[in-house]
Amino acid sequence: MSDISCEWYNLGIKSSGVISMWVNPFPRIETGVNAIEQMSFEDAQAFVNFVILVPAYLPEGTVLAGVTVRKETSKTRSSIRFEVIGQNRTFRVKQFFYDWSIPGIYADTNLVGQGEPFVLHGVAGFIGRDYKGNDAVAYARWFTQVEISVLTGQFSREDLLSFCNGLVPAVPAAVSNIGEKAYAVTSHTARFHVPRWSQDDPINRVHWQAADLFDSNDSSDDVRLPPIQFQDFIWDSVGRYHQADAMEYQILLRDENNHTDCIWIWCAPKSLASPFPETFGANIGKRTRWNIERIWVSELSVILCEQATAVPGWQLHWKTREYDYHIHIRANNRVTREHVVELAKHMINKNS
């Protein structure tokens, strides 16, 4: 794939007709199992818990085909798939709410190695190879995860990124009715507690609520919670669970401008024996690579992880007597090392 600028804006792509009226505030829950149907993008929006994105741009000589929807049920997460087909070349697009792992953090969900970053509409994505060895793209808007896999033939980097840049809501009202709503309100995991992998998965284990329903005065005196607003990130949702020795907290902060980038903060009681990075140095890891070092913040040892790429994600890890703290920040081009250390300092020094 040829190289182009890391950021693409103002491509002059115009959206074709999308309907603007839609009043269903939440997806209809089907009782069937794995109900997969063909239907229009607009009709499909009523059966999923994320903003369906449709292309306003298609690579030259291609058409859109094969739109199928997996409807949400109480046991099944929803998704939508379609293909972009040209002469001797095809790529598949899958959209879904990636909510069963750390929410709003992974910007490269379908890649097997450190991808090459790009930024569209202020949101980072990655281009690389997927699990089948195909050229692939990972991107997101709101809580909609977009995964592209080139099945046959070739598409240039420009083709794939122009396609992503031109994705617009099939139903504009879905942005405010679903896309900007809290994780606790829209997430299948938060609403139905159906684990994707382990029954004791941390995200599935806690009880989630929208941040505006959480009273921080009810939190334990031993836990140190993040500020209500940090840079452009504000509290979105709070997850809690009574462990044997203390209350477990998970705080999700979300960018108030793009409603896509997130910070996940896990305040883990000691009984959970939560994992910490054990190796330090540059380019640590296989699927994603990290520069990992130990720093000191207010006389406390903190592990700082910066993703080894031009548009990095970040992690922070430290221990206190009562809790282990873990912070994950989605890859973006706005948060700096200074910001990350500032967040750690604010939490460590709180009430100390």
Side-chain angles (χ1 to χ4, degrees):
M1 293 186 178
S2 59
D3 290 334
I4 65 170
S5 171
C6 193
E7 298 192 2
W8 277 54
Y9 300 99
N10 301 320
L11 295 183
I13 300 170
K14 296 183 179 179
S15 171
S16 56
V18 293
I19 65 174
S20 59
M21 294 184 63
W22 183 68
V23 295
N24 189 354
F26 210 68
R28 298 202 293 269
I29 304 300
E30 296 292 295
T31 57
V33 177
N34 295 338
I36 301 176
E37 296 184 17
Q38 293 185 341
M39 63 179 70
S40 70
F41 290 114
E42 292 83 1
D43 290 342
Q45 184 63 77
F47 297 97
V48 303
N49 64 331
F50 56 88
V51 178
I52 293 177
L53 302 173
V54 299
Y57 163 88
L58 292 175
E60 183 177 358
T62 64
V63 296
L64 189 151
V67 180
T68 59
V69 180
R70 184 186 299 274
K71 297 179 178 180
E72 180 179 83
T73 74
S74 59
K75 297 182 179 179
T76 304
R77 293 172 173 85
S78 58
S79 63
I80 188 167
R81 297 171 185 248
F82 58 91
E83 293 184 349
V84 173
I85 301 174
Q87 185 173 7
N88 299 319
R89 60 178 188 162
T90 301
F91 67 77
R92 183 188 63 226
V93 181
K94 179 180 179 181
Q95 299 178 15
F96 58 100
F97 191 156
Y98 187 63
D99 69 340
W100 58 89
S101 188
I102 301 176
I105 296 300
Y106 294 111
D108 55 357
T109 51
N110 56 330
L111 304 187
V112 293
Q114 182 79 65
E116 185 178 354
F118 60 89
V119 177
L120 301 172
H121 303 290
V123 177
F126 286 85
I127 189 166
R129 294 273 182 170
D130 65 15
Y131 292 90
K132 294 185 178 180
N134 299 329
D135 290 339
V137 179
Y139 186 55
R141 295 294 305 277
W142 301 285
F143 278 130
T144 305
Q145 187 66 34
V146 180
E147 295 182 349
I148 297 174
S149 179
V150 177
L151 303 181
T152 60
Q154 293 185 336
F155 290 87
S156 69
R157 177 185 170 95
E158 290 89 342
D159 283 337
L160 296 174
L161 296 193
S162 294
F163 175 87
C164 290
N165 190 73
L167 290 172
V168 297
V171 179
V175 174
S176 59
N177 288 334
I178 293 181
E180 295 178 354
K181 290 290 191 295
Y183 171 86
V185 174
T186 58
S187 161
H188 187 277
T189 297
R191 287 181 289 133
F192 297 112
H193 293 279
V194 177
R196 187 60 181 263
W197 296 304
S198 167
Q199 185 67 44
D200 193 41
D201 181 272
I203 309 302
N204 175 72
R205 176 177 60 232
V206 299
H207 300 288
W208 289 95
Q209 63 182 144
D212 57 4
L213 300 178
F214 174 71
D215 185 354
S216 60
N217 292 322
D218 293 336
S219 62
S220 168
D221 291 336
D222 294 328
V223 72
R224 299 180 180 183
L225 300 177
I228 296 298
Q229 178 160 3
F230 175 74
Q231 302 296 324
D232 291 330
F233 296 87
I234 59 175
W235 280 35
D236 176 271
S237 298
V238 179
R240 291 184 292 175
Y241 188 82
H242 281 284
Q243 297 294 342
D245 54 337
M247 178 69 79
E248 174 185 3
Y249 295 89
Q250 296 181 33
I251 314 296
L252 185 68
L253 289 84
R254 196 174 177 195
D255 189 294
E256 63 180 342
N257 297 313
N258 64 32
H259 292 94
T260 303
D261 294 332
C262 289
I263 300 176
W264 178 72
I265 298 178
W266 183 21
C267 308
K270 291 296 185 178
S271 60
L272 291 176
S274 57
F276 280 74
E278 297 180 350
T279 304
F280 296 84
N283 291 307
I284 304 298
K286 295 182 178 179
R287 184 178 175 276
T288 55
R289 298 192 301 271
W290 296 86
N291 299 327
I292 304 176
E293 62 180 301
R294 190 182 302 277
I295 64 174
W296 294 91
V297 178
S298 300
E299 300 183 349
L300 191 67
S301 175
V302 175
I303 299 174
L304 172 64
C305 309
E306 178 183 0
Q307 192 174 0
T309 181
V311 184
W314 299 87
Q315 297 178 25
L316 287 163
H317 309 270
W318 72 87
K319 299 181 179 184
T320 66
R321 185 176 61 183
E322 299 85 5
Y323 280 90
D324 295 337
Y325 292 86
H326 307 273
I327 298 178
H328 293 250
I329 303 175
R330 189 184 190 277
N332 67 85
N333 62 351
R334 301 177 309 284
V335 174
T336 66
R337 178 189 176 97
E338 289 73 22
H339 295 147
V340 174
V341 173
E342 177 189 345
L343 177 57
K345 185 178 299 184
H346 178 98
M347 293 181 61
I348 290 170
N349 291 338
K350 183 179 180 182
N351 299 326
S352 61

